[in-house]
Amino acid sequence: MHTVKEYIEKNKKRFINELIDLLKIPSISADTAFSQDVLNTADSIMKSLKEAGCDKVELCETPGYPIIYGEKIIDTNLPTVLVYGHYDVQPADPLELWDSPPFEPVIKKTELHPEGAIFARGACDDKGQMYMHVKALEYMTSEGNLPCNVKFMIEGEEEVGSESLAWFVPRNVEKLANDVILISDTGMIANDIPSITTGLRGLSYVEVEVTGPNRDLHSGLYGGAVANPINILTKMIASLHDENNHITIPGFYDKVEELSQEERNEMAKAPFSLEEYKNALDIDDVYGEKGYTTNERNSIRPTLDVNGIWGGYIGEGAKTVIASKAYAKISMRLVPNQDWEEITTLFKSHFESIAADSVKVKVTPHHGGQGYVTPIDSIGYQAASKAYQETFGVTPIPQRSGGSIPIVALFEKELKSKTILMGFGLNSDAIHSPNEHFGIWNYLKGIETIPYFYKYFSELHK
Ligand code: BES
Ligand code: MN
Ligand code: MN
């Protein structure tokens, strides 16, 4: 029998090559041009789960992309871990900003990854992190030391809102029954400062359209006399924050959970260098809600951001025109207790109310989801903490993340179990950005740590 370290040492070349093959398939869920690739990725995951020792693997059809379900049930008296991950990835644009093609993975060393990192779209989010679980399962089954039952549920629409999974979960409550949900789709502070994600923010994502005149107009003949939708839209957007960077939508903060000073002090103990933060982003100063630190601003506080804005003439040279329409995509990150549907309604009525009479405003909700916090006194958290202590040699820090995995709140509601977020990525891994990468060290460390979670969870469950 091999220790997990020995097993990884013996198989690491293959582990890396298998991940590289998976990363070559452009499974972009947002763009239908890639739908065959998304489906091919689903097939590839099925094959991997079978090879890793699942007794039953199914491709579950949904109204959208399929969900891959796999299980190995060794004894129904033992606890069951449900692993969730996603096989879809974000679009790779803007392509010209990548140093190497996004779907031709290459290994390069970086300052934070001296042992090399795999550069490809999805390397960290989430193919690399999801695949750690497949390889951890392979180790446990091939060495005969899987201590409990395991189920896998890997979806293909996380990056576009998990609509099909939200359809699938309530219809399969029995099948998905579990004692804890385990996800690696977040990050940690640093390779020598491991952390466990204890919170995720919720999300409300809307698109707005402002319409002025019924056609594009000559900006000399009409300028000054009719509303310019781009001028109006930018003014409306600017008014959504006040001089302290508080969001001005009435009722927006009503349900926001305020942390006690004690909890905030606890949070502030996590190692953080504002200088390094600024340097890494090439900014002279940070920016955000008055009265809160950078780490608070991006985790326990709700935010509103324009993700994209367009309209009018953006081609070469100058065209004198007043556009008929202007658009923006706006997201609001929410904290526990804020209800995303309620916030979407508040946004819509506020945005419509601040529009000048000279324009028409349309607000179209995209998707959303609730925030999530997981307690640190659960046996799931304790098992995760012990697992990190085993492989990193230090106790991991609990930390709330600013990102969102909206389906996690639904898991709790439908499946009545807590989620443990064991993320092994770094913020600098550039997820959703050009040159996304995942450290080889992180990938292998994840594979090493996961089996200890199973071990300690099974022990603590008794
Ligand atoms: N894996 C991320 C979320 C994440 C990353 C959480 C790092 C915490 C730390 C996930 O794939 C993601 O990108 N989620 C989206 C929301 C989704 C509805 C498109 C997000 O957070 O923008
Ligand atoms: Mn993800
Ligand atoms: Mn993502």
Side-chain angles (χ1 to χ4, degrees):
M1 187 146 141
H2 298 92
T3 65
V4 63
K5 249 197 151 113
E6 288 163 357
Y7 191 84
I8 291 170
E9 200 45 51
K10 216 176 69 188
N11 293 286
K12 70 177 178 196
K13 265 228 169 73
R14 177 172 58 82
F15 286 0
I16 293 165
N17 287 332
E18 286 177 10
L19 175 56
I20 285 177
D21 283 342
L22 186 61
L23 290 168
K24 285 180 185 163
I25 321 175
S27 51
I28 303 169
S29 51
D31 187 343
T32 50
F34 294 90
S35 57
Q36 191 54 51
D37 296 296
V38 181
L39 296 171
N40 291 346
T41 310
D43 284 338
S44 157
I45 305 293
M46 273 187 91
K47 199 166 145 267
S48 305
L49 283 174
K50 278 182 206 148
E51 284 169 6
C54 282
D55 295 330
K56 187 163 113 185
V57 179
E58 297 168 353
L59 186 133
C60 308
E61 298 288 357
T62 73
Y65 287 122
I67 287 153
I68 303 303
Y69 174 82
E71 65 176 33
K72 184 162 181 75
I73 308 295
I74 54 170
D75 179 349
T76 49
N77 293 315
L78 289 172
T80 300
V81 175
L82 173 66
V83 176
Y84 162 80
H86 61 96
Y87 63 80
D88 64 321
V89 302
Q90 282 277 321
D93 329 56
L95 289 177
E96 65 278 12
L97 296 183
W98 284 76
D99 296 330
S100 56
F103 298 104
E104 293 171 28
V106 289
I107 297 177
K108 280 186 294 188
K109 294 189 162 95
T110 73
E111 211 177 296
L112 290 175
H113 296 297
E115 293 173 51
I118 305 178
F119 282 75
R121 171 56 85 231
C124 179
D125 183 11
D126 179 40
K127 283 176 177 167
Q129 297 216 69
M130 175 268 292
Y131 207 67
M132 298 180 314
H133 289 270
V134 181
K135 294 298 100 179
L137 176 69
E138 177 197 305
Y139 160 70
M140 292 184 284
T141 57
S142 64
E143 295 286 320
N145 64 2
L146 180 68
C148 60
N149 305 308
V150 56
K151 296 177 177 175
F152 272 74
M153 173 171 65
I154 313 296
E155 70 151 318
E157 292 177 20
E158 196 278 340
E159 299 292 7
V160 290
S162 301
E163 233 177 273
S164 296
L165 189 61
W167 174 91
F168 180 79
V169 171
R171 286 170 176 75
N172 290 277
V173 170
E174 199 90 340
K175 184 193 195 89
L176 301 172
N178 65 81
D179 296 282
V180 70
I181 298 170
L182 184 60
I183 305 180
S184 294
D185 193 22
T186 55
M188 58 179 187
I189 298 175
N191 284 1
D192 56 348
I193 313 170
S195 53
I196 297 175
T197 304
T198 51
L200 295 163
R201 284 196 287 192
L203 185 69
S204 163
Y205 201 114
V206 299
E207 185 163 327
V208 300
E209 179 191 288
V210 175
T211 307
N214 59 6
R215 59 184 167 90
D216 287 8
L217 302 173
H218 188 289
S219 66
L221 295 182
Y222 289 94
V226 297
N228 177 331
I230 302 176
N231 291 10
I232 302 265
L233 173 62
T234 50
K235 215 167 155 174
M236 288 167 73
I237 288 170
S239 79
L240 296 176
H241 290 92
D242 69 13
E243 66 283 6
N244 292 323
N245 270 313
H246 291 301
I247 294 156
T248 55
I249 301 168
F252 186 83
Y253 291 99
D254 282 2
K255 296 197 175 154
V256 168
E257 164 208 49
E258 295 289 341
L259 267 64
S260 67
Q261 194 53 48
E262 202 182 327
E263 284 172 292
R264 291 176 69 185
N265 292 347
E266 203 51 45
M267 263 189 81
K269 285 186 192 157
F272 176 72
S273 157
L274 192 58
E275 276 318 300
E276 279 173 29
Y277 187 85
K278 290 194 282 189
N279 284 341
L281 301 176
D282 259 328
I283 49 174
D284 294 329
D285 206 354
V286 291
Y287 186 86
E289 188 181 4
K290 195 175 172 191
Y292 294 92
T293 66
T294 294
N295 274 337
E296 290 172 339
R297 287 170 178 168
N298 67 27
S299 63
I300 60 164
R301 297 300 295 167
T303 56
L304 182 151
D305 277 293
V306 178
N307 296 252
I309 181 163
W310 69 102
Y313 183 69
I314 53 164
E316 197 180 321
K319 178 189 180 192
T320 49
V321 65
I322 292 174
S324 165
K325 285 175 186 288
Y327 307 83
K329 289 184 193 279
I330 298 175
S331 68
M332 287 159 280
R333 295 281 169 174
L334 311 175
V335 296
N337 301 340
Q338 278 184 302
D339 179 73
W340 77 272
E341 282 173 319
E342 197 179 318
I343 292 291
T344 305
T345 306
L346 288 178
F347 176 91
K348 188 170 155 58
S349 44
H350 178 66
F351 208 71
E352 286 166 356
S353 79
I354 59 173
D357 290 339
S358 46
V359 296
K360 293 176 198 71
V361 169
K362 200 166 108 193
V363 177
T364 312
H366 273 286
H367 52 66
Q370 311 296 77
Y372 184 72
V373 269
T374 195
I376 63 171
D377 56 5
S378 67
I379 60 168
Y381 186 91
Q382 296 304 322
S385 181
K386 286 177 74 148
Y388 282 79
Q389 286 169 50
E390 187 85 42
T391 57
F392 286 77
V394 290
T395 305
I397 296 171
Q399 199 182 45
R400 286 212 213 172
S401 171
S404 308
I405 311 178
I407 203 72
V408 172
L410 188 97
F411 290 161
E412 175 152 306
K413 181 166 162 255
E414 298 289 342
L415 306 176
K416 313 275 181 267
S417 44
K418 296 282 176 208
T419 290
I420 303 300
L421 298 154
M422 292 174 59
F424 294 90
L426 301 181
N427 276 352
S428 52
D429 287 347
I431 64 171
H432 293 207
S433 305
N435 302 315
E436 174 177 354
H437 54 280
F438 189 35
I440 304 262
W441 185 90
N442 301 65
Y443 176 54
L444 301 177
K445 206 61 172 174
I447 300 172
E448 185 188 341
T449 308
I450 291 163
Y452 287 106
F453 172 83
Y454 282 72
K455 173 175 184 274
Y456 292 125
F457 185 76
S458 306
E459 283 174 19
L460 291 167
H461 195 81
K462 278 172 193 149

